[in-house]
Amino acid sequence: MSWERLDVDDVLVVVMTAIAFLWYTCGGYISRTEDIPSQFWYQVPQSSDSQQTFRQRKAEARNVALVFKETGVDAVIFWGSQSGRAEAFARRLAESLEARFGLRSLAADLNDYDHANLTQLESSHLCGFVLSTHGDGDPPDNSDGFWRAIHAFSKRGAQLSNLRYMLFGLGNSKYRQFNRVAETVDDILERLGGTRIGEFGRGDDANGETEDNFLAWRTATEDLLKAELGLVEQDSIYNPAFNIQEVLLADPNGVFRGEPHQALLNQATASSKIADPKIPRALPVVHARPLWESDERLCLHVELDLGADRLVKYKTGDHLAVWPSNPVREVEQLLSLLGLQEKRETIISIGSVNTPEGGRESAFSPTTIEALFSHYLEICGLLSREAVLALASFAPSEASKTRVLQMSDNAQTFKKEVVGSHLTLPSLMRAVGGLLVWRVPLSFFLEKLKPLQPRYYSISSSAVVQPQRVSITVVVDKPPNPTSEDGAIAAVGGWGLATSYLHAVERSCNSVPSDRYHSPFALGAPRALLVDHKVFGAVRQSPFKLPVRASTPIIMVGSGTGVAPFRAFVQERARRKAMGHEVGSTFLFMGFRSPASDLLYEDEWSEHQRIIGQDLLKIWTAYSREIGKRKVYVQDRLLENAAEIMRLFEEGSGCRMYICGSADMARDVVDTLAVMRAKAAGQQHVNAWIKQLRQSKQLLEDVWN
């Protein structure tokens, strides 16, 4: 249609439509503006005053120097944590400084602040750092900004001469990079002119001594602070660190009832719209079966459906995070001991007392009292000696108070009577107080117990073979057979909360009836999101990946369930071989206790060998508890095949070696690899060779304590 053929009416319609469109898109701006050319048509886009103010306030809220000045905080204790444990210690240090000396202290997530502002601190500002080390000496995820900032300071020679700090690191001496993160931070801060107060504290979890290490370090550091700053100790009075209030008119649809993420609120079923793989979803367990079972343990193979929508994807070698809940019996017993049975559905809001303006509420506020104990706090976790000592103040009788103090009087007694007996918080309270009601404020539990965290499992399936399903391999430690109902309740703690939870899901999938030897869980909660055998799960990326080319040789070393990711690796190589791809040498070394009790996926290995070829897929097993035979470990099998292994590394094929299992095993395997290298090429530069393998991603480890 041409303009020449339009009549007057058509032109009017076009003009009116254009005017209406402009009016709509400008949102009525013209009607509110007196001078259109200067205020609209020729205006350079820029932030409004309100936007600038908002951004300025946001920047100020992240400036730790301003937090000190504007809120009157005396000390900020930063935490860098991967599992939540460093956060718990940071909060305990802040609470202790306030309770003992009246110092107003704030425990803060490192990720909440811009650490370029550390140069603005004044000498009166006191900082603390509680830092964990994970992986191969890596900083926790929430420490990335801080890590980059201090390294940038170091490169440009910035000065932190006003920085006075305390430092405690969490690590495990069974790992090679024991406390590397805290050591690196201490080295940089000292070189930049910072002044450390007291010793650099090192928590060592190799033998479960982190708690004792922390208490000794904190006491010595606080004593030094008292002497240097002239602090005066005050009477010990409990001051809650959390402000907890009952909410009468809260929108019930906005109340957390066990959902581990905001995106899951208001969802009656697992939402296909939740596309971020880091956000947990309700994943159906479509298959679960025992692989083997003994008197002490059993091993489960669990498969979960990721959905046909492919919104949740994984890659071979990734991890699956699983969110457990606490056993019903433990929750019910705790509610009963606190006299809160009738208030279980009471909605509460949770906020930090010392959080400055711009700070955030608890991630799961508002919630209910029952949900708090069922889904958000580790009521079945190992108790700290300090928490038990503090609990004595709320004992329901003098006799129970005396008993609690006796239990926690010294480290040896505590390890024997509490840790060694696997007492949970409810079972300890029941053991010392009987059926008496304890008047413990809810804030106490938020302060002394860790948040309930997801557990991570190596994925034992290949994304190429089964992209819509993910499998994990889980060992469940059985608690001793209880002799009484109280014994059954007490035995839940310390025996693997998440594995017990998955065992309950497996029994439900296979219609195995419950009995008093298995802790019941509320498997359908919350909001019926988990009915029909679902669990909250999410994929976590891992650097534990196969080479892009299937022709690249690989060496896999695993013990126990550390074999799980190698099942996925071999699965994928078998599929690629079947598709006509060239597959390189594939060596698998597996360590188990006994072939009669815990050999994993035995029937699958021979089938994969048939497809790939026994000349390419070579498998060795080592048994450390085989009856009538000497103990053999995976590192022994490596030494037996040292020449062939060294040949793969030396032929320039980019051979990769993967280690998965316990930290002890991994350390022994790397030591054995160093011995093999020394015999093949001489002792010189062995450490440099191992370091180069790691840097080039030819040596990858996925280990745990």
Side-chain angles (χ1 to χ4, degrees):
M1 182 174 66
S2 64
W3 283 99
E4 289 80 9
R5 297 176 60 184
L6 289 174
D7 56 24
V8 175
D9 291 339
D10 292 331
V11 173
L12 286 173
V13 170
V14 171
V15 171
M16 293 300 293
T17 301
I19 292 172
F21 175 77
L22 286 172
W23 185 274
Y24 177 78
T25 55
C26 294
Y29 190 92
I30 297 173
S31 66
R32 301 190 302 271
T33 307
E34 296 178 1
D35 186 358
I36 294 173
S38 63
Q39 295 188 30
F40 183 78
W41 302 110
Y42 303 108
Q43 187 178 54
V44 177
Q46 59 183 354
S47 299
S48 67
D49 291 342
S50 61
Q51 288 175 319
Q52 289 176 339
T53 302
F54 171 77
R55 291 173 181 170
Q56 181 179 355
R57 287 179 179 174
K58 188 174 181 181
E60 290 175 352
R62 289 178 55 81
N63 187 331
V64 68
L66 289 180
V67 170
F68 273 106
K69 293 178 181 178
E70 295 181 359
T71 66
V73 170
D74 299 307
V76 176
I77 313 300
F78 293 106
W79 51 269
S81 182
Q82 195 71 16
S83 66
R85 197 172 190 195
E87 177 183 2
F89 281 119
R91 293 191 184 280
R92 288 167 58 183
L93 176 58
E95 292 159 11
S96 180
L97 291 173
E98 187 151 352
R100 185 175 176 186
F101 304 118
L103 292 176
R104 190 177 181 198
S105 305
L106 169 67
D109 186 336
L110 276 169
N111 201 41
D112 285 347
Y113 294 92
D114 179 2
H115 299 284
N117 304 124
L118 286 174
T119 55
Q120 301 174 19
L121 291 176
E122 298 179 0
S123 58
S124 59
H125 299 156
L126 179 62
C127 291
F129 298 96
V130 182
L131 306 170
S132 65
T133 298
H134 82 103
D136 191 24
D138 301 318
D141 293 342
N142 76 314
S143 305
D144 286 346
F146 173 69
W147 192 253
R148 290 194 300 269
I150 63 173
H151 280 81
F153 288 156
S154 182
K155 286 182 179 179
R156 69 171 189 261
Q159 286 297 304
L160 296 175
S161 54
N162 283 337
L163 176 63
R164 296 186 308 158
Y165 67 96
M166 302 169 286
L167 179 65
F168 185 79
L170 283 78
N172 189 313
S173 59
K174 292 182 179 179
Y175 292 79
R176 290 177 310 281
Q177 302 287 359
F178 172 53
N179 259 316
R180 174 179 176 269
V181 170
E183 287 180 349
T184 301
V185 168
D186 188 48
D187 178 63
I188 292 177
L189 296 184
E190 280 197 326
R191 283 193 285 108
L192 298 179
T195 302
R196 189 184 67 236
I197 299 174
E199 295 294 325
F200 163 25
R202 292 174 172 81
D204 186 2
D205 212 36
N207 296 308
E209 296 177 347
T210 301
E211 172 75 16
D212 294 334
N213 298 150
F214 173 76
L215 290 177
W217 169 82
R218 190 187 68 186
T219 300
T221 302
E222 288 181 349
D223 289 345
L224 191 60
L225 277 173
K226 178 183 177 181
E228 288 190 3
L229 303 182
L231 300 177
V232 178
E233 292 198 46
Q234 59 184 19
D235 294 335
S236 179
I237 301 175
Y238 175 70
N239 292 308
F242 290 90
N243 181 23
I244 300 177
Q245 296 181 340
E246 294 187 11
V247 181
L248 300 178
L249 300 176
D251 177 6
N253 291 324
V255 176
F256 285 87
R257 296 184 177 275
E259 301 87 351
H261 194 276
Q262 177 74 36
L264 287 163
L265 287 178
N266 305 324
Q267 300 294 326
T269 59
S271 172
S272 61
K273 297 180 181 179
I274 303 176
D276 189 342
K278 296 179 182 178
I279 297 176
R281 291 163 52 111
L283 303 177
V285 174
V286 292
H287 178 66
R289 62 186 173 93
L291 295 175
W292 53 259
E293 184 170 3
S294 67
D295 292 339
E296 299 175 345
R297 307 184 303 159
L298 76 151
C299 185
L300 301 176
H301 175 82
V302 181
E303 293 190 10
L304 304 98
D305 185 9
L306 299 180
D309 51 31
R310 298 289 285 133
L311 291 177
V312 177
K313 302 177 183 179
Y314 76 100
K315 294 182 179 179
T316 306
D318 281 344
H319 298 141
L320 184 73
V322 175
W323 278 258
S325 63
N326 289 312
V328 173
R329 285 189 303 215
E330 295 280 338
V331 175
E332 290 299 320
Q333 183 167 225
L334 185 54
L335 289 171
S336 175
L337 290 167
L338 297 174
L340 295 174
Q341 302 99 314
E342 303 301 320
K343 302 191 72 174
R344 64 175 67 233
E345 288 298 319
T346 299
I347 299 172
I348 56 174
S349 67
I350 305 169
S352 176
V353 171
N354 289 334
T355 299
E357 184 179 358
R360 62 189 181 190
E361 276 191 317
S362 165
F364 45 83
S365 175
T367 187
T368 66
I369 294 176
E370 181 177 24
L372 180 69
F373 291 137
S374 297
H375 303 287
Y376 297 120
L377 292 179
E378 289 266 15
I379 69 170
C380 293
L382 293 176
L383 294 168
S384 71
R385 185 170 151 225
E386 182 183 40
V388 175
L389 277 168
L391 185 65
S393 300
F394 305 102
S397 67
E398 284 300 319
S400 56
K401 180 178 181 178
T402 299
R403 183 71 184 104
V404 171
L405 292 174
Q406 288 174 345
M407 283 180 160
S408 52
D409 180 55
N410 58 68
Q412 290 71 30
T413 302
F414 184 78
K415 287 180 179 179
K416 177 182 178 181
E417 297 199 18
V418 178
V419 179
S421 299
H422 298 277
L423 289 181
T424 64
L425 179 65
S427 61
L428 183 146
M429 293 168 65
R430 174 70 181 273
V432 302
L435 299 177
L436 295 176
V437 174
W438 297 60
R439 303 300 180 187
V440 187
L442 291 177
S443 179
F444 176 88
F445 299 105
L446 287 157
E447 295 162 20
K448 302 302 181 184
L449 301 180
K450 291 196 302 182
L452 193 57
Q453 298 286 334
R455 273 57 168 178
Y456 295 94
Y457 299 95
S458 297
I459 292 176
S460 56
S461 57
S462 164
V464 171
V465 177
Q466 49 183 73
Q468 295 179 11
R469 282 192 180 187
V470 63
S471 69
I472 55 177
T473 310
V474 180
V475 167
V476 183
D477 288 316
K478 297 180 181 179
N481 289 341
T483 56
S484 66
E485 187 64 20
D486 287 349
I489 294 172
V492 173
W495 297 101
L497 176 66
T499 53
S500 297
Y501 175 74
L502 289 169
H503 188 203
V505 175
E506 180 269 328
R507 290 170 63 86
S508 176
C509 284
N510 296 320
S511 301
V512 179
S514 296
D515 56 42
R516 61 190 299 248
Y517 298 100
H518 295 86
S519 301
F521 291 83
L523 297 180
R527 301 183 198 272
L529 279 168
L530 302 180
V531 296
D532 299 327
H533 322 304
K534 297 185 180 76
V535 300
F536 286 128
V539 172
R540 184 179 74 170
Q541 294 182 348
S542 167
F544 214 63
K545 294 288 186 290
L546 279 168
V548 175
R549 295 184 303 170
S551 58
T552 301
I554 62 173
I555 302 166
M556 301 165 286
V557 185
S559 60
T561 53
V563 171
F566 302 140
R567 174 183 184 259
F569 285 10
V570 175
Q571 251 187 13
E572 187 157 317
R573 288 220 150 176
R575 173 60 60 88
R576 296 185 70 171
K577 178 70 172 180
M579 294 169 62
H581 296 183
E582 180 186 354
V583 173
S585 297
T586 305
F587 291 0
L588 174 60
F589 295 84
M590 301 187 293
F592 302 106
R593 295 185 180 186
S594 165
S597 62
D598 57 0
L599 177 60
L600 290 175
Y601 302 113
E602 182 178 11
D603 55 335
E604 296 185 17
W605 304 123
S606 56
E607 176 61 16
H608 293 322
Q609 275 189 318
R610 184 188 67 79
I611 297 171
I612 297 175
Q614 292 190 6
D615 58 328
L616 292 176
L617 175 56
K618 298 183 179 181
I619 300 174
W620 293 268
T621 54
Y623 300 109
S624 59
R625 300 186 188 179
E626 190 172 6
I627 297 176
K629 296 186 178 180
R630 71 178 181 89
K631 293 182 178 182
V632 180
Y633 299 97
V634 285
Q635 56 266 31
D636 298 323
R637 296 299 187 214
L638 288 171
L639 281 173
E640 293 169 1
N641 296 274
E644 197 166 4
I645 292 170
M646 286 296 102
R647 177 183 59 78
L648 292 180
F649 278 114
E650 292 166 2
E651 64 186 10
S653 59
C655 174
R656 290 192 187 181
M657 186 172 191
Y658 302 86
I659 306 172
C660 187
S662 71
D664 283 341
M665 181 275 296
R667 184 182 58 200
D668 291 341
V669 167
V670 173
D671 289 345
T672 300
L673 186 63
V675 169
M676 292 158 55
R677 171 68 177 181
K679 289 182 178 179
Q683 188 66 42
Q684 285 187 328
H685 310 303
V686 168
N687 291 336
W689 181 70
I690 296 290
K691 183 178 181 179
Q692 175 58 33
L693 289 180
R694 289 200 174 99
Q695 290 177 342
S696 62
K697 306 299 182 184
Q698 287 184 261
L699 177 59
L700 295 168
E701 299 168 76
D702 186 358
V703 301
W704 57 85
N705 180 33

